[in-house]
Amino acid sequence: MMQRATIDTVEKFDRTLARIIEVTCIALLASIVATICVSVFTRFVIFYPLNFADAMAKYLMQWMAFLGVGLAIRSGEHVLVDMFTSSLRAKYRLNLFVFTNILLIGLFAAIIYFGTIYALSGWKSQDIFVFGVSMAVPYFSVPVGATYALIATLLATWLAVARSSAPDSSIEAGV
């Protein structure tokens, strides 16, 4: 019974965190659309182009894309070939899932480490077109997105293992 409560708590945390990231991505997309619409209007109607719009939309898209990686991992919508894994028994499929997620966790940890170093290197440089914003702001999209992808991978792995070993047969493995 305690294991079921733990699984429920982790699932609730996972859903809450994913919802926060989803709302953030929706806000970023709305900002991109608004920025580009205003830019098109000012360029072709008022004949006064906004120099910052293209770069700002690019940075917002970068943030949205890197945050979206974790959402795709969480919902199992990332690119994968399942021809091999679908032919395996559930136990081996779970083992392969855990193994590949361990490799992904190592990859995301490396991206976080090297992405943070790279982002910090851009701290003093500025983009003059986007209000003099530090280049660390767009560069940090990489380690922040990788951090969420790492958390999503850890949660998906833990939940898959916990569901498969839960005594309650109504819990599905989710792999």
Side-chain angles (χ1 to χ4, degrees):
M1 191 65 167
M2 184 165 173
Q3 185 176 9
R4 179 65 197 172
T6 305
I7 291 172
D8 289 343
T9 303
V10 173
E11 285 176 339
K12 183 178 179 185
F13 173 75
D14 183 37
R15 282 191 307 271
T16 303
L17 185 59
R19 187 67 184 148
I20 291 168
I21 299 296
E22 287 172 357
V23 169
T24 302
C25 287
I26 290 168
L28 289 169
L29 181 60
S31 300
I32 292 168
V33 170
T35 301
I36 296 302
C37 287
V38 169
S39 176
V40 168
F41 178 78
T42 59
R43 181 179 304 263
F44 295 110
V45 175
I46 303 175
F47 302 108
Y48 186 77
L50 300 175
N51 294 331
F52 69 89
D54 292 335
M56 184 170 156
K58 179 175 61 174
Y59 297 153
L60 293 172
M61 177 65 124
Q62 185 175 331
W63 272 94
M64 188 178 70
F66 281 110
L67 288 173
V69 169
L71 290 174
I73 286 173
R74 178 187 177 271
S75 60
E77 295 177 1
H78 234 281
V79 175
L80 82 126
V81 178
D82 65 350
M83 184 176 77
F84 173 70
T85 58
S86 62
S87 66
L88 296 175
R89 284 188 274 162
K91 175 186 170 186
Y92 297 118
R93 193 176 322 138
L94 178 65
N95 289 342
L96 182 62
F97 179 76
V98 170
F99 176 72
T100 56
N101 281 0
I102 289 170
L103 294 177
L104 278 175
I105 289 166
L107 173 69
F108 292 137
I111 291 172
I112 292 166
Y113 176 75
F114 291 110
T116 302
I117 291 171
Y118 185 72
L120 290 173
S121 72
W123 197 263
K124 292 184 181 177
S125 62
Q126 297 177 338
D127 187 344
I128 58 171
F129 290 115
V130 186
F131 313 114
V133 70
S134 170
M135 290 306 295
V137 173
Y139 293 167
F140 265 114
S141 65
V142 176
V144 170
T147 300
Y148 177 60
L150 178 96
I151 291 168
T153 304
L154 284 169
L155 290 172
T157 306
W158 187 87
L159 285 169
V161 170
R163 288 175 185 146
S164 71
S165 64
D168 184 2
S169 62
S170 67
I171 303 172
E172 295 179 13
V175 179

